[in-house]
């Protein structure tokens, strides 16, 4: 609680046992003083609520005028602590938004401090606690503590409603953990149904992000195979033709599929189909490309043109791996000339 000229400190005499330094130019009530004041206001809930409301406004104003980012983050944390008491739902939303902002900027220490402040608030309901547990799991993931993150996010995922947003977010977090440990199939499995969930909720940005995650899992799974096997049969002489028959038979279904079902340009060079191993390689890459095209359509349909570059880059990488040099070159050229 802020120590200022506010009447909240009237019951106490301000001194060394009452206040402690909080940040540059700021102070806070010592734990003993805080407990004494809370006991004084225990039978005055309306007044206590107003005090928390005033404290939240005070810290928000301090955050807006903070001389440096560290002080701004400290003031914002203190404000959220009071908002959680006044309006828990609003406070939870602010914690989530601020955490996402810090996480995107890789301010993991700030993420940790924010969660610690939120968890000091007593009496939080069951609708808020799982969100804090989820954010704790996200922090573990960002810190590279995959085993802890899997355990934490797994508990959250199993404890919440199967149709809830929190379950979907926990699933995405677990998929990111799996991808971080090269468990590509597991990552793909965990994302099943999530893009459709966000599409139905008209949240194309999140739907596209998950599609990119799945596409990346397919592409990296293909890359883990080490690339395609190049087979160039020697057709000179009778023996050469006879030796070429088995791989040509292997490639026949692939050729027919390319000829009758799909256009040639949309598939890899036909000679890659001479090896069954390449079929797996190509299937994974074609699955990746399908996910990227879906993400592109999702972003375009929502007018999110600023998200297209990350899709183009992935498509260029995928087409390069598929041996479609012209298309890959065109996409890389588009990227180079993009603002």
């Amino acid at each position: 609680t802020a120590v200022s000229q506010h009447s909240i400190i009237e019951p106490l005499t301000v001194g060394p046992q009452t206040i402690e330094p909080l940040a540059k130019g700021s102070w806070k009530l010592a734990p003993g003083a805080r407990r004494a004041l809370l006991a004084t206001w225990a039978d005055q809930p309306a007044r206590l609520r107003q005090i928390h409301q005033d404290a939240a406004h005070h810290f928000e104003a301090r955050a807006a005028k903070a001389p440096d980012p560290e002080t701004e983050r400290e003031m914002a944390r203190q404000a959220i602590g009071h908002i959680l008491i006044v309006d828990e739902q609003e406070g939870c939303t602010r914690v989530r938004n601020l955490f996402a902002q810090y996480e995107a900027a890789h301010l993991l220490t700030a993420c940790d401090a924010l969660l610690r402040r939120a968890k000091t608030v007593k009496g939080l309901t069951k609708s808020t606690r799982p969100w804090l547990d989820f954010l704790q799991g996200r922090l573990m993931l960002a810190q590279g503590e995959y085993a802890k993150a899997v355990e934490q996010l797994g508990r959250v995922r199993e404890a919440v409603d199967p149709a809830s947003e929190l379950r979907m977010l926990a699933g995405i977090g677990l998929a990111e953990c799996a991808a971080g440990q090269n468990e590509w199939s597991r990552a793909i499995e965990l994302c099943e149904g999530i893009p459709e969930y966000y599409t139905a909720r008209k949240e194309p940005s999140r739907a596209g992000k998950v599609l990119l995650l799945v596409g990346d899992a397919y592409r990296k799974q293909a890359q883990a195979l080490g690339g395609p096997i190049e087979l160039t049969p020697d057709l000179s002489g009778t023996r050469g033709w006879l030796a070429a028959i088995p791989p040509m038979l292997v490639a026949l279904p692939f050729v027919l599929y390319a000829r009758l079902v799909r256009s040639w340009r949309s598939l890899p060079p036909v000679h890659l189909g001479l090896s069954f191993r390449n079929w797996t390689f190509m299937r994974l890459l074609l699955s990746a490309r399908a996910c990227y095209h879906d993400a592109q359509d999702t972003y375009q349909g929502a007018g999110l043109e600023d998200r297209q570059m990350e899709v183009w880059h992935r498509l260029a990488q995928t087409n390069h791996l598929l041996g479609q040099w012209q298309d890959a070159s065109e996409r890389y050229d588009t990227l180079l000339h993009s603002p």
Side-chain angles (χ1 to χ4, degrees):
T1 305
V3 176
S4 63
Q5 298 302 315
H6 198 284
S7 61
I8 63 173
I9 60 173
E10 288 177 358
L12 297 173
T13 300
V14 175
Q17 304 301 316
T18 308
I19 60 174
E20 296 177 351
L22 177 63
K24 297 177 182 178
S26 301
W27 300 82
K28 68 176 181 179
L29 292 172
R34 181 179 176 83
R35 285 193 295 271
L37 285 173
L38 289 175
T40 301
W41 298 320
D43 58 348
Q44 303 177 54
R47 186 183 181 211
L48 183 58
R49 179 183 175 84
Q50 185 59 53
I51 289 171
H52 281 296
Q53 183 73 67
D54 293 344
H57 291 326
H58 168 81
F59 282 117
E60 287 176 329
R62 292 291 300 275
K65 299 178 181 179
D68 55 77
E70 182 180 352
T71 303
E72 179 185 1
R73 290 192 289 269
E74 173 63 32
M75 296 298 103
R77 286 195 296 271
Q78 296 303 325
I80 282 178
H82 292 284
I83 294 171
L84 277 167
I85 297 173
V86 176
D87 186 339
E88 186 175 329
Q89 184 175 0
E90 171 65 18
C92 183
T93 299
R94 293 204 188 188
V95 170
R96 291 168 55 192
N97 292 341
L98 203 54
F99 184 95
Q101 177 184 327
Y102 293 160
E103 183 184 17
H106 304 289
L107 298 172
L108 303 187
T109 301
C111 289
D112 182 57
L114 175 63
L115 292 180
R116 288 179 183 275
R117 178 65 182 94
K119 290 177 180 179
T120 63
V121 178
K122 296 182 179 180
L124 294 177
T125 64
K126 292 182 178 179
S127 62
T128 298
R129 284 290 177 186
W131 280 105
L132 298 182
D133 292 339
F134 162 72
L135 295 178
Q136 189 69 54
R138 291 289 316 179
L139 178 58
M140 293 170 178
L141 170 59
Q143 292 171 333
E145 298 177 339
Y146 293 121
K148 292 182 179 179
V150 167
E151 183 179 356
Q152 179 83 359
L153 294 171
R155 281 199 302 265
V156 173
R157 187 169 182 261
E158 294 304 317
V160 298
D161 185 342
S164 67
E165 180 186 13
L166 187 50
R167 182 180 174 87
M168 301 299 163
L169 290 173
I172 295 171
L174 287 169
E176 290 177 342
C177 287
Q181 300 176 91
N182 298 334
E183 297 174 358
W184 312 118
S185 296
R186 177 63 174 157
I188 294 168
E189 177 187 349
L190 285 163
C191 289
E192 185 175 351
I194 297 180
E196 293 80 4
Y197 173 85
Y198 282 117
T199 298
R201 286 168 57 99
K202 301 188 185 303
E203 296 186 49
S205 180
R206 287 188 172 180
K209 184 177 180 181
V210 179
L211 286 167
L212 293 181
L213 174 60
V214 176
D216 289 347
Y218 277 121
R219 177 168 54 85
K220 291 177 181 178
Q221 199 173 8
Q223 288 176 293
L225 295 175
I229 297 175
E230 295 285 348
L231 293 178
T232 307
D234 181 8
L235 301 181
S236 60
T238 304
R239 183 172 296 181
W241 275 99
L242 291 175
I245 290 175
M248 291 176 68
L249 289 175
V250 169
L252 182 59
F254 178 77
V255 173
L256 292 175
Y257 175 77
R259 191 65 170 173
L260 301 177
V261 182
R262 299 281 294 275
S263 66
W264 283 102
R265 192 173 186 277
S266 67
L267 289 171
V270 176
H271 73 273
L272 293 181
L274 297 175
S275 167
F276 274 128
R277 179 183 174 281
N278 289 349
W279 282 46
T280 301
F281 179 77
M282 291 184 291
R283 178 185 63 80
L284 292 169
L285 288 177
L286 291 173
S287 296
R289 190 166 67 180
C291 289
Y292 296 149
H293 279 305
D294 288 344
Q296 184 176 41
D297 293 342
T298 298
Y299 290 147
Q300 283 181 340
L304 300 174
E305 298 299 328
D306 58 318
R307 303 296 302 273
Q308 294 287 25
M309 290 187 66
E310 53 187 319
V311 180
W312 294 341
H313 185 215
R314 286 170 167 85
L315 284 171
Q317 289 178 309
T318 305
N319 286 331
H320 180 266
L321 291 169
L322 283 167
Q324 295 182 334
W325 316 115
Q326 181 179 351
D327 188 86
S329 178
E330 290 173 357
R331 290 188 181 278
Y332 279 127
D333 188 63
T334 301
L335 286 168
L336 288 172
H337 291 87
S338 297

